[in-house]
């Protein structure tokens, strides 16, 4: 990659305000919910009242008698009109293999069973409520059962099929050495179970889809962070050519894991628009968002650690169980990261999918690490107390430049530098290590820390750059800015490489008619898309250099594709098919590419009420080259808050009798607000690592979420002497157990 000329200040690495910030704050930015198409009809969903069984009857009389009702879609008139598609586990872009409105089968509570279309939203809502739907309910399994864990131990066993008993798939295992033997021989051990809850994304912008046909061409306005994938997946569902589908999503009102994969609603809206020969718009309710899209699966985890008296790990075993739907096999399988965080000669892991009558889970911000590092970093804290050793020192002496399972060397790993910088800024040396020893009146004070890790991925991407004769630059790519400032990072890259002021650069994103980009996920957007943009800039610079002085000419256009190291040439085809192949992390045979960090928190727990407060949090992060420190710090702070939310607030409550979620609103689904965290401190550790891409970008968005929940749990234990191993940590758990 050619750098800017020597001696010229670079834009990259300079804190820069968003180039589109004025559009976001003035209302000029158009989100998926903002598009209104002339002569559009309005749709409203009806969802299932049972978790498992069949529909035995649908009476549409009351609904169809209302004025303005145009159509009602159910399995009786949809059937096989919409193909199932391939779910993510099968290299598709669907969040489930269950085809929408395909049969009378009910797979989970809140499944779409009908869609009413009318002249107005109010008419559609009223008519949907007047549908009479009868069911034959079957016994439903809502969560884990004891025999799930028994089934997982049986090598090759598929579990039981009865709805009231275990349905665990065979465990997916990995390891090295003899972890069981080493555990038995270790003089200091930890053996503990941990649990994380179901959580839902809850972006402020509701899920909205508008579909319009012009002849055989379909246009979809929907907030998406994967427009190329949506285009191809929707074409597959509808049995049409992908070139006849356009998906438009320039701005996104929050995602956090949602809006990455096609769910049940989009194809139904497209079908309704085709049947009526007019545009149709669907805006779902907040409660419906909990069941028509993915969520973070609840887990149960078992961690065993064995160490020598000097703190060196001898054995590490991490087993996880994840809830999935009855129909699908999705899992995040975060033991890949947890078992490689520290040096250990004997490692074992297993992840088991447990099927229940719930909708299919999916990715939620920092999917594997935030769940599985909670368990491993809590266990490491427990081990530090068993050893009588400082938790920071324990992590320091088990640091490694070679991941222990496959022996791949990290291209860069500055975990110790992050631990040292954050500990110094936090004042860790002032900590009294005795639990319950630090008090301030009625408040018990606790300090806790945790290591952080996130796989560094990049995916194939493409970009087109056009430079006008007057020096204006237009960049086009199908990537997405989900809030991290990708558009600004692209403009900064172009400004540096083409020596053009930011004010003369425009960036087009979020349209499937643009050159394809990857899904905006895995903290890989900047690394992927900016690498393609940089290659296009290089083409333009070469062509400029070859131009004879005084020659006239028109616009210069360059089109470039980026394939990360380790991606075969077939990755180019997958990019245009909407399923680009990420590379990096632990997927390469000869090296491991990850970001690292460390977080330190102070909690205060009221001695009587057991209220938990979090007055300050300090994090240090090493994540390769940071294009824009201003937006990166914002991302890291947001990730700290996200991790805090998981530790103390968030959890989707389940009525286990009926496998139904009960807090499907923003009043009862708790998240932190401004007053809940007083002081954030962000430290970015300089790091140069060009292994993943020539710009040296690793991505920061999700790194700072991992480990925060463990650090808070560790701090609560330090404050109170009570070890909470099940999230979220609410006062009733502390009230029920006293040190």
């Amino acid at each position: 990659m050619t750098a800017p000329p020597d001696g010229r200040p670079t834009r990259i690495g300079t804190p820069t305000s968003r180039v589109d910030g004025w559009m976001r704050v003035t209302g000029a930015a158009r989100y998926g919910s903002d598009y209104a198409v002339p002569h559009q009809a309005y749709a409203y969903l009806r969802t299932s009242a049972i978790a498992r069984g069949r529909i035995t009857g649908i009476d549409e009389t009351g609904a169809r008698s209302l004025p303005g009702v145009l159509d009602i879609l159910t399995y009786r008139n949809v059937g096989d009109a919409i193909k199932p598609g391939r779910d993510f586990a099968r290299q598709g872009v669907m969040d489930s293999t269950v085809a929408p409105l395909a049969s009378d089968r009910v797979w989970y509570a809140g499944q779409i069973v009908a869609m009413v279309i009318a002249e107005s939203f109010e008419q559609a809502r009223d008519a949907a409520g007047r549908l009479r739907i009868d069911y034959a309910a079957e016994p439903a399994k809502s969560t884990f059962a004891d025999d799930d864990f028994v089934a997982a131990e049986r090598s090759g066993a598929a579990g039981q099929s009865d709805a009231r008993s275990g349905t665990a798939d065979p465990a997916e295992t990995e390891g090295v050495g003899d972890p069981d033997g080493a555990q038995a021989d270790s003089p200091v051990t930890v053996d503990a179970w941990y649990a994380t809850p179901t959580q839902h994304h809850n972006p402020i912008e509701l899920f909205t889809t508008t579909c319009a046909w012009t002849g055989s061409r379909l246009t979809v306005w929907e907030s998406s962070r994967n427009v190329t994938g949506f285009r191809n997946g929707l074409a597959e569902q509808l049995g049409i050519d992908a070139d006849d589908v356009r998906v438009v999503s320039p701005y996104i009102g929050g995602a956090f894991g949602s809006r990455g994969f096609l769910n049940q609603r989009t194809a139904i809206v497209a079908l309704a628009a085709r049947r009526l020969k007019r545009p149709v718009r669907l805006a779902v309710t907040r409660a419906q968002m909990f069941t028509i899209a993915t969520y973070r699966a609840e887990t149960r985890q078992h961690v065993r650690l064995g160490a020598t008296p000097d703190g060196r790990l001898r054995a590490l075993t991490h087993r996880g169980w994840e809830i999935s739907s009855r129909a699908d096999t999705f899992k995040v399988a975060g033991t890949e990261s947890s078992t490689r965080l520290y040096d250990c000669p004997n490692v074992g892991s297993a992840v088991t999918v447990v099927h229940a009558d719930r909708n299919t889970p999916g990715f939620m911000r920092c999917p594997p690490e935030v769940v599985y590092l909670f368990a491993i970093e809590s266990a490491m804290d427990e081990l530090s107390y068993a050893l009588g050793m400082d938790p920071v020192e324990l992590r320091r002496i088990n640091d490694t430049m070679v991941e222990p399972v496959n022996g791949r060397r990290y291209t860069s790993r500055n975990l110790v530098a992050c631990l040292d910088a954050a500990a110094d800024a936090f004042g860790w040396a002032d900590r009294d290590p005795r639990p319950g020893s630090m008090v301030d009146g009625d408040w018990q004070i606790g300090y806790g820390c945790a290591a952080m890790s996130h796989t560094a991925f990049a995916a194939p991407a493409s970009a087109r750059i056009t430079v006008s004769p007057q020096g204006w630059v237009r960049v086009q790519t199908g990537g997405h800015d989900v809030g991290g400032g990708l558009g600004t990072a692209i403009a900064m890259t172009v400004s540096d490489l083409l020596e053009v002021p930011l004010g003369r650069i425009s960036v087009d994103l979020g349209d499937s008619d643009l050159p394809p980009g990857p899904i905006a996920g895995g903290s890989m957007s900047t690394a992927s898309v900016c690498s393609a943009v940089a290659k296009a800039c290089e083409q333009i610079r070469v062509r400029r250099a070859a131009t004879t002085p005084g020659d006239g000419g028109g616009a210069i256009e360059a089109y470039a594709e980026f394939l990360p190291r380790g991606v075969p040439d077939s990755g180019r085809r997958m990019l245009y098919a909407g399923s680009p192949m990420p590379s990096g992390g632990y997927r390469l045979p000869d090296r491991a590419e990850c970001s690292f960090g460390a977080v330190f928190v102070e909690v205060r727990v009221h001695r009587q009420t057991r209220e938990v407060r979090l007055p300050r949090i300090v994090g240090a992060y090493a994540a390769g080259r940071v294009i824009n420190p201003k937006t990166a710090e914002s991302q890291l702070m947001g990730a700290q808050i996200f991790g805090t939310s998981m530790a103390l607030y968030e959890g989707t409550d389940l009525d286990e009798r009926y496998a139904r979620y009960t807090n499907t609103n923003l009043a009862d689904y708790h998240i932190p607000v401004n007053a809940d965290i007083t002081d954030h401190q962000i430290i970015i550790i300089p790091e140069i690592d060009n292994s993943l891409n020539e710009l040296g970008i690793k991505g920061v968005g999700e790194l700072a979420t991992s480990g925060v929940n463990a650090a808070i749990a560790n701090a609560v234990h330090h404050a109170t002497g009570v070890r909470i191993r099940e999230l979220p940590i609410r006062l009733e758990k502390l009230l029920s157990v006293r040190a």
Side-chain angles (χ1 to χ4, degrees), residues 368-390:
E369 290 88 354
V370 75
V371 174
Y372 283 85
L373 261 60
F374 164 67
I376 203 71
E377 285 301 280
S378 295
M380 285 291 285
D381 196 68
E382 296 198 47
L383 181 62
S384 74
Y385 281 94
L387 290 162
M389 179 178 290
D390 184 274

Side-chain angles (χ1 to χ4, degrees), residues 52 107 140-141 161-163 167 324-328 355-358:
R52 190 177 193 222
W107 293 89
K141 176 183 175 180
S161 60
D162 186 86
T167 53
S324 191
S325 67
R326 183 78 61 176
D328 297 312
H355 298 280
D357 297 298
R358 309 260 292 273

Side-chain angles (χ1 to χ4, degrees), residues 422 425-426 452 599-602 614-621 633-645 649 672-683 704-705 708 712:
F426 182 82
M452 297 172 151
V599 60
F600 290 73
V601 302
E602 175 188 333
L614 184 73
R616 63 191 182 107
I617 180 169
V618 177
Y621 312 97
E633 288 183 12
S634 178
Q635 280 283 285
L636 293 165
M637 183 182 296
Q640 289 180 347
I641 297 169
F642 205 100
T644 301
S645 189
Y649 301 92
V673 296
N674 290 353
D676 286 318
I677 307 174
T678 307
D679 182 17
H680 290 270
Q681 186 171 350
I682 306 295
I683 303 167
T705 301
V708 175
I712 292 173

